[in-house]
């Protein structure tokens, strides 16, 4: 399966509690929770150590925030995914890196992104709640994946092991446009397990996680 990651100007996130089986949420209904004032952030603890990747577009920002959007493709069939990425400004490797993505949330044919554009708000308002396994992703089933790369360039991802007990919850969302592209901002909470891609016995527990991210529609 081929994956393209395109850096844009925004990002996105997810919904309710999770297990290891694929599924989708009912449409998101915005609660009364006030939208956080920060532009975007991901916070929490990894194995009990606090992390805070916050983007406020201020001169003293330490972190760069971008969105990832794109598609998984087999011939002319496309399974679109969206996500948010945070990278510490520490050249040359720009690590640590943290991202949340919803894979295979829209299926289209014919090599065109037009249908994805028309269906964007509907697609991102019915997000999958399950954490994907590698096998499920290869079958192009919808789901969530969370990824972390530490300063030593060791890659951890939620797809490499069980996510029993892991959760995702939306607390609120809003819609907007930027540069002619549709956007959906989502904020909420998350907990999950991140497995070393080279040694699955090495596991990071992400707990007490909170986020605010902005998804953007795919753009060629």
């Amino acid at each position: 399966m081929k994956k393209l990651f395109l850096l844009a100007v925004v990002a996105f996130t997810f919904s309710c509690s999770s297990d290891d089986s694929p599924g989708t949420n009912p449409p998101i209904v915005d609660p009364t929770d006030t939208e956080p004032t920060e532009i975007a952030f991901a916070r929490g603890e990894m194995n009990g150590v606090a992390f805070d990747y916050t983007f406020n577009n201020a001169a003293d920002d330490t972190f760069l925030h971008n969105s990832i959007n794109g598609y998984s493709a087999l011939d002319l069939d496309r399974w679109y995914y969206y996500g948010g990425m945070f990278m510490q400004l520490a050249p040359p490797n720009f690590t640590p890196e943290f991202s949340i993505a919803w894979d295979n949330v829209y299926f289209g044919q014919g090599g065109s992104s037009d249908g994805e554009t028309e269906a964007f708000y509907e697609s991102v308002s019915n997000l999958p709640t399950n954490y994907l396994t590698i096998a499920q992703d290869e079958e192009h089933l919808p789901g969530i994946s969370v990824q972390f790369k530490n300063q030593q360039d060791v890659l951890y991802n939620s797809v490499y092991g069980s996510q029993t007990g892991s959760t995702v919850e939306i607390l609120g969302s809003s819609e907007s446009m930027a540069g002619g592209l549709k956007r959906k901002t989502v904020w909420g909470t998350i907990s999950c397990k991140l497995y070393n891609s080279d040694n699955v016995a090495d596991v990071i527990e992400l707990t007490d996680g909170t986020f605010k991210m902005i998804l953007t529609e795919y753009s060629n």
Side-chain angles (χ1 to χ4, degrees), residues 65-213:
H65 164 250
N66 282 300
S67 72
I68 50 176
N69 66 4
Y71 63 91
S72 307
L74 179 63
D75 296 325
L76 294 180
D77 298 339
R78 294 185 174 199
W79 296 267
Y80 286 85
Y81 58 89
Y82 308 91
M85 177 182 295
F86 294 82
M87 298 181 291
Q88 184 177 15
L89 294 181
N93 294 325
F94 293 98
T95 54
E97 177 183 301
F98 180 85
S99 66
I100 303 169
W102 286 261
D103 290 349
N104 314 316
V105 297
Y106 171 81
F107 174 77
Q109 292 181 303
S112 171
S113 63
D114 293 345
E116 178 272 346
T117 295
E118 295 173 1
F120 175 76
Y121 283 136
E122 179 181 358
S123 298
V124 298
S125 293
N126 292 273
L127 295 173
T129 64
N130 58 294
Y131 285 87
L132 284 174
T133 65
I134 294 175
Q136 289 168 348
D137 193 26
E138 289 177 347
E139 293 177 23
H140 313 295
L141 298 175
I144 301 165
S145 63
V146 179
Q147 183 165 288
F148 172 68
K149 183 187 288 185
N150 66 19
Q151 288 180 306
Q152 290 73 45
D153 284 333
V154 178
L155 185 65
Y156 294 80
N157 198 298
S158 59
V159 300
Y160 297 117
S162 172
Q163 293 300 327
T164 300
S166 297
T167 62
V168 183
E169 183 177 8
I170 290 290
L171 299 181
S173 64
S174 63
E175 297 177 355
S176 61
M177 296 283 294
L181 298 177
K182 299 174 183 176
R183 306 196 310 181
K184 184 140 185 144
T185 300
V186 182
W187 54 95
T189 62
I190 181 173
S191 67
C192 65
K193 302 173 187 68
L194 303 172
Y195 296 84
N196 187 325
S197 60
D198 295 319
N199 175 17
V200 295
D202 177 15
V203 183
I204 293 175
E205 293 270 358
L206 194 164
T207 57
D208 298 323
T210 60
F211 63 87
K212 178 185 176 184
M213 294 184 176

Side-chain angles (χ1 to χ4, degrees), residues 49-71:
V49 179
F51 69 95
D52 184 344
Y53 304 157
T54 299
F55 182 77
N56 281 316
N57 201 27
D60 60 352
D61 271 352
T62 307
F63 301 97
L64 169 68
H65 164 250
N66 282 300
S67 72
I68 50 176
N69 66 4
Y71 63 91

